[in-house]
Structures are given as structure tokens and as C-alpha cells.
Amino acid sequence: MSQPIQTDNFDILLNLRSYGWSDFYLFVNEKSFEFTISHVFTDPCFDLIKALSDLIHGNPETCFVLQGEPDGVFFDIKKMVTQQHKIMISIHDFDGFYNSDSKLNSIIKMEVKTKQFICILYLQLKKIFMLLHDKKFAEQREGGSLLQNFYSFEKEVISFLKK
């Protein structure tokens, strides 16, 4: 794998589509990556909240999977030893359904500030949380776990970002 990209020039867009699908867009410097997520096998919003909560609580590493049908993307996130305010994110794709034996193919490896990563994903989840309060938007979308877990998650994030 090549050297990791060190950047603060990245963004994420999470689009909750109807009928159990989402789009996850990652923008890093001049590159963009698009991943289609199925909600059939996991709850991606819950998985993102769990991974972000792991980072907030100081876990040295966490991960999450964005499962498509039938392929997907694996995010491996590790706190950097020498620069505790940063994380190393390694993103890999795989064929089929993810398990511990899946063959992972490297897509990108980047070094970013932990707070920036948490803030960007938190704001995407907050956007979806607010949109789910619109009856017309929510009627064709799954969002129950986000609606149930968001307030406690938001308190954690705000407290962490103030440090």
C-alpha cells in the first residue's frame, strides 16, 4: 500500500435513499469515492454511531462495514500512536458479504484529525435525523434506530468536540 494521505481536505456526504438504500460519498483532496449501501443486512447509521462512539470513548481502534449487495467497503480506523489527535483510516473494498475471511482490496489510506472526522459524520447523521421528522421523507426510509439513539449520541459528540 502506498503512503497514507495526510489531509484536512476531506468531506463525506451520506444520502439516505428510499427503500433500504443509501449512498456514501467520500471526497479526499481531488479524489472522490462513491459507495452504495444496503440496509438489509445491517443498520449503517447505527454502525456509524457505534464507530464514532468508540473513538469518542478513546478506543484505540474501531471499524465499520458499508455492505452493498453483494459487495461492500470496510473502514478500519486506528488512533495514531505518535499524534493522539489523529486517526489513520484504511478503506478497503471486498466481494460478497463481509466476514473475517473476506479478501480486502485497498482503496485509500488517510491520516486525518479525529475531531474533524467525527464532526463531519455527526453532521451527516444529524441531517438525516432531522429529515426523518418529515413524514413524507420518512415513510419510504428506515431510520428507527437513528431516531432512538441520536440524542444520547449527540450529547457525546458535543461534549467531545468542546474538549
Side-chain angles (χ1 to χ4, degrees), residues 74-135:
F74 178 79
F75 284 69
D76 185 31
I77 304 169
K78 294 184 171 124
K79 184 178 273 192
M80 297 189 59
V81 175
T82 57
Q83 299 179 64
Q84 290 286 303
H85 69 290
K86 289 186 175 182
I87 53 178
M88 183 68 66
I89 303 172
S90 301
I91 305 171
H92 310 272
D93 65 6
F94 56 87
D95 294 327
F97 295 102
Y98 179 77
N99 64 51
S100 59
D101 295 327
S102 294
K103 181 179 182 278
L104 302 176
N105 306 302
S106 179
I107 295 175
I108 189 169
K109 187 173 186 178
M110 59 186 203
E111 179 182 311
V112 300
K113 294 175 187 169
T114 306
K115 284 187 175 182
Q116 185 178 4
F117 180 72
I118 289 172
C119 181
I120 288 170
L121 269 173
Y122 156 70
L123 290 171
Q124 289 303 304
L125 291 166
K126 182 168 180 105
K127 171 192 73 176
I128 293 169
F129 173 77
M130 294 176 76
L131 289 170
L132 285 169
H133 284 88
D134 177 86
K135 183 180 176 185

Side-chain angles (χ1 to χ4, degrees), residues 19-86:
Y19 303 110
W21 293 95
S22 290
D23 297 309
F24 188 98
Y25 299 93
L26 173 66
F27 305 96
V28 181
N29 295 340
E30 307 301 316
K31 297 178 182 176
S32 63
F33 305 90
E34 177 183 356
F35 310 112
T36 301
I37 308 166
S38 171
H39 294 240
V40 171
F41 308 102
T42 65
D43 181 341
C45 291
F46 179 80
D47 296 342
L48 292 172
I49 286 174
K50 165 119 180 37
L52 295 176
S53 291
D54 286 347
L55 293 172
I56 288 168
H57 291 109
N59 291 359
E61 62 183 271
T62 189
C63 65
F64 61 91
V65 174
L66 301 178
Q67 183 68 57
E69 287 186 34
D71 54 0
V73 183
F74 178 79
F75 284 69
D76 185 31
I77 304 169
K78 294 184 171 124
K79 184 178 273 192
M80 297 189 59
V81 175
T82 57
Q83 299 179 64
Q84 290 286 303
H85 69 290
K86 289 186 175 182

